[in-house]
Amino acid sequence: FTWSASGSIMSESLASSFPTVLAFVVDTARCTSNPNTFMSNMLYACSMLYRTRLPLVVVFNKTDVVPHDVCLEWMRDYETFQEAMDEVAEESGFYGSLTRSLSLVLDEFYSHLHSCGVSAATGDGIEDFWTAVDLAAKDFETDYLEDLRNRVNEQAAKKRAIARENIRRLQRDINETEEKKKNKTDT
């Protein structure tokens, strides 16, 4: 949804009207079974965050099946994630090497991320979800709105510069036309 044109239009429209937060829902059972899957999900979440610039809550779903503690630990502790990668090293090859490299890069991403575990089946963790949404909404007010104002000001400055350049060109063209008319009447 967020990568489609309509998704971008909707998220930008919502964000221009009131606090908007993205919720990235992760299948916890799949992530805990393979650190490569976890990393793929985190990269996708990271790309959404940087594409939209909106606050993001990573929601680890299906916590009634598998607790999300492992995922949180991988996010907090680089070494723990590397140990999990060691356990699947034989089967991962190049992808495993890439995943190891990316895990170090995503440390900064994790430090600014809101996350929680939820069970859609039992409702466990819903309060934590709303708490994470409230925190992300505060980030919207402090970070996103400032960024939006800066982008609006930047666009306005670009438009003013283009308008000044167009006026300068128009004035030059008028002067050239008048000069040509004057030269034509003089001859």
Side-chain angles (χ1 to χ4, degrees):
F1 168 77
T2 53
W3 285 106
S4 68
S6 60
S8 294
I9 292 168
M10 287 183 66
S11 60
E12 288 173 9
S13 296
L14 291 171
S16 68
S17 302
F18 52 87
T20 304
V21 173
L22 295 178
F24 184 79
V25 180
V26 177
D27 184 337
T28 307
R30 286 187 181 203
C31 282
T32 57
S33 67
N34 188 331
N36 289 317
T37 304
F38 170 79
M39 182 56 62
S40 293
N41 276 277
M42 293 301 102
L43 280 173
Y44 193 40
C46 182
S47 67
M48 286 176 47
L49 176 73
Y50 288 111
R51 176 178 165 82
T52 64
R53 299 178 181 172
L54 288 168
L56 180 78
V57 175
V58 174
V59 182
F60 293 100
N61 194 16
K62 300 182 184 178
T63 56
D64 55 311
V65 177
V66 177
H68 70 295
D69 300 339
V70 172
C71 294
L72 294 178
E73 185 67 22
W74 287 347
M75 290 169 67
R76 287 189 208 114
D77 187 0
Y78 171 79
E79 294 301 322
T80 304
F81 183 77
Q82 294 304 311
E83 290 169 10
M85 286 298 299
D86 289 341
E87 293 175 15
V88 296
E90 296 90 41
E91 59 191 68
S92 55
F94 172 76
Y95 188 64
S97 177
L98 177 63
T99 300
R100 285 179 189 276
S101 299
L102 292 171
S103 66
L104 193 56
V105 172
L106 289 182
D107 256 0
E108 179 67 19
F109 168 67
Y110 297 147
S111 67
H112 300 289
L113 190 65
H114 302 285
S115 62
C116 62
V118 173
S119 169
T122 66
D124 287 340
I126 295 297
E127 286 300 316
D128 293 338
F129 170 73
W130 289 116
T131 300
V133 168
D134 287 341
L135 290 171
K138 288 177 184 168
D139 290 348
F140 177 90
E141 298 290 341
T142 58
D143 300 334
Y144 181 81
L145 286 181
E146 181 180 333
D147 182 54
L148 181 62
R149 283 184 201 105
N150 290 339
R151 286 185 282 154
V152 166
N153 291 339
E154 189 177 302
Q155 285 297 97
K158 284 180 184 177
K159 285 182 180 180
R160 286 190 303 271
I162 290 170
R164 279 193 303 270
E165 178 61 23
N166 288 341
I167 289 171
R168 188 187 63 73
R169 263 193 252 140
L170 177 64
Q171 187 63 46
R172 186 188 69 216
D173 291 347
I174 290 171
N175 291 342
E176 286 176 6
T177 303
E178 287 176 357
E179 188 68 32
K180 285 179 185 177
K181 284 181 183 178
K182 182 181 176 197
N183 288 340
K184 201 175 195 180
T185 57
D186 288 346
T187 56

